[in-house]
């Protein structure tokens, strides 16, 4: 079954590292892939890895599960967490269940599209890894990111800028709304209200409330 539900991937302390090479990303993503059961590993996953300005891993988010839905990923989904977490760089990663890591034309086109959207949002897409259980191909190492940088495809024109500006405003509004709900939750918690009651009022997750 395909799904486009975005899911946060829990990282260990050892996985929140400074990324120096594509191999650093692959080792993290290989671990994440291998901890899935065989049925899930037989499906194509598409992740984003967010990095800060010192190339340290901030988060890993599963954007899509299933090849069909991967084609429908739009920038507002792909970069939402990156904007929220103030990431300045991103690496996209997807697996090929066949075990082959040959880059397809669809892989190139999608990376080009997301790279150009990232430029507008000031989030530098530095690599895209096609991975399998025992090997991977890096767009950056193979020169494909350089090709994408110079491709001329998906360059922003006035109409597209309008669409992306609207998307950026919508995301900013959503982040501001979440911050406001967290502020309310903090005040309610300080007043002695239970986490369950705060959840009912604010709509926040219990895990977020417990961190306050």
């Amino acid at each position: 079954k395909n799904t486009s539900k975005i899911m946060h991937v829990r990282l260990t302390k050892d996985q929140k590292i400074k990324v120096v090479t594509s191999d650093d990303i692959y080792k993290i993503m290989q671990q994440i892939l291998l901890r899935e059961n065989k049925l899930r590993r037989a499906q194509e996953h598409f992740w984003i890895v967010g990095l800060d300005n010192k190339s340290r891993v901030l988060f890993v988010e599963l954007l899509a599960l299933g090849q069909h839905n991967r084609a429908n990923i739009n920038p507002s989904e792909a970069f939402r967490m990156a904007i929220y977490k103030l990431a300045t760089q991103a690496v996209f990663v997807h697996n090929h269940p066949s075990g082959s890591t040959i880059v397809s034309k669809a892989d190139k086109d999608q990376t080009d599209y997301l790279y150009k959207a990232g430029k507008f949002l000031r989030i530098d897409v530095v690599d895209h890894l096609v991975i399998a259980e025992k090997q991977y191909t890096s767009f950056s190492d193979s020169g494909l990111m350089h090709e994408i940088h110079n491709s001329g495809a998906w360059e922003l024109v006035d109409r597209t800028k309008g669409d992306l500006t609207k998307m950026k405003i919508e995301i900013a509004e959503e982040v501001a709304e979440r911050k406001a709900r967290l502020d309310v939750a903090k005040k309610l918690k300080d007043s002695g209200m239970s986490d369950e009651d705060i959840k009912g009022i604010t709509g926040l997750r219990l895990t977020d409330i417990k961190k306050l």
Side-chain angles (χ1 to χ4, degrees):
K1 183 179 178 180
N2 291 334
T3 177
S4 59
K5 184 180 180 182
I6 296 175
M7 294 177 61
H8 182 70
V9 178
R10 188 177 296 277
L11 296 174
T12 67
K13 186 178 179 181
D14 291 339
Q15 289 172 331
K16 295 180 179 179
I17 60 167
K18 179 175 180 178
V19 172
V20 178
T21 69
S22 58
D23 203 49
D24 295 330
I25 292 285
Y26 176 64
K27 285 174 181 175
I28 294 170
M29 299 312 300
Q30 183 188 39
Q31 291 170 1
I32 290 170
L33 180 64
L34 290 177
R35 74 188 185 200
E36 299 265 22
N37 61 42
K38 284 187 178 180
L39 245 126
R40 291 266 289 191
R41 291 204 302 266
Q43 293 181 285
E44 188 171 300
H45 299 61
F46 193 85
W47 299 273
I48 179 174
V49 182
L51 309 174
D52 67 12
N53 58 5
K54 294 183 179 178
S55 298
R56 292 176 301 204
V57 174
L58 292 172
F59 69 90
V60 176
E61 201 82 13
L62 176 64
L63 298 173
L65 179 62
Q67 188 173 16
H68 173 72
N69 282 316
R70 180 167 72 87
N72 297 325
I73 295 172
N74 61 53
S76 63
E77 294 173 331
F79 293 103
R80 189 177 301 274
M81 184 57 69
I83 292 171
Y84 180 69
K85 293 281 191 179
L86 302 178
T88 58
Q89 303 173 78
V91 176
F92 290 103
V93 182
H94 78 277
N95 67 306
H96 283 177
S98 66
S100 166
T101 58
I102 295 173
V103 176
S104 68
K105 184 179 184 301
D107 294 337
K108 293 178 187 176
D109 289 345
Q110 185 174 48
T111 307
D112 199 335
Y113 176 58
L114 292 172
Y115 173 83
K116 299 296 168 45
K119 277 177 63 178
F120 178 79
L121 296 168
R122 297 185 179 178
I123 298 171
D124 189 13
V125 178
V126 294
D127 205 351
H128 183 166
L129 268 58
V130 181
I131 72 170
E133 292 182 15
K134 296 182 180 179
Q135 61 182 342
Y136 73 98
T137 296
S138 158
F139 273 56
S140 181
D141 295 348
S142 62
L144 287 171
M145 289 309 299
H146 181 71
E147 287 181 23
I148 285 169
H149 178 74
N150 296 313
S151 72
W154 301 107
E155 290 294 348
L156 299 178
V157 295
D158 288 344
R159 179 175 56 80
T160 310
K161 273 185 181 178
D163 292 341
L164 286 173
T165 299
K166 182 181 177 184
M167 177 202 74
K168 191 174 182 181
I169 290 169
E170 287 174 352
I171 293 174
E173 287 174 347
E174 184 176 310
V175 170
E177 182 189 352
R178 175 178 164 78
K179 185 180 183 302
R181 284 191 287 148
L182 285 168
D183 288 343
V184 170
K186 177 77 166 58
K187 289 176 183 176
L188 292 173
K189 190 162 187 173
D190 289 344
S191 73
M193 186 177 288
S194 72
D195 290 352
E196 284 289 350
D197 287 341
I198 295 171
K199 177 186 175 185
I201 292 170
T202 63
L204 292 168
R205 297 180 304 176
L206 279 174
T207 50
D208 292 329
I209 296 167
K210 289 180 187 298
K211 292 175 184 176
L212 295 172

